[in-house]
Each structure stands twice: as structure tokens, then as C-alpha cells.
Amino acid sequence: MFLPKYPDSPTPPPSHTHTPADPAPVRRSLPAVHISPAVVAVVVVGGVVLTALLAAVAVSAVSVAIAAVVLRSLIREQNRR
């Protein structure tokens, strides 16, 4: 009563036939790019220099902030006297 009914053939026939479309366009390969070791060295050195400059700016900002806090506390102590 509740058993499923299976089709007689193991695979159903395809509902549509496949017609090939236009052939795929031929892909042109890109020209080869040659990177010389000098270019790699310049990029690495540039990255190191920029990183060092960023670190120097960060250290300077921290030291200026600490100096400002110290000066503010010294001025506050002087005004209390």
C-alpha cells in the first residue's frame, strides 16, 4: 500500500537533447613577464624602509604622549603650590 513504485527502466530517457553551441573562442595566452632580481631587491628594500619609518613614527608618537603627560603633571604640581 505505501510501497514506492519504481520505473521499469533503470535510467529515465533524457528530457532534452544536447546540441553543441558555437565552439569556444580560442584563448590567447598572455605574454610572459620576466622579473629581474634587481626589481625584487628594490621592492624588498623599499618595504623594509617604509616599515622602519612607520615604526619610527609610532615610537615618536608614544614618546611625545609620555612627555605631554609628564609635563602636565609637573605643571599641575607647580600650580598647587
Side-chain angles (χ1 to χ4, degrees), residues 3-68:
L3 295 176
K5 295 181 180 179
Y6 296 108
D8 293 337
S9 63
T11 57
S15 60
H16 60 75
T17 58
H18 179 67
T19 57
D22 294 335
V26 177
R27 300 183 94 190
R28 287 183 262 159
S29 63
L30 296 175
V33 178
H34 299 289
I35 300 175
S36 67
V39 173
V40 174
V42 167
V43 170
V44 168
V45 169
V48 168
V49 168
L50 289 176
T51 303
L53 287 174
L54 181 63
V57 168
V59 168
S60 299
V62 169
S63 64
V64 167
I66 291 172

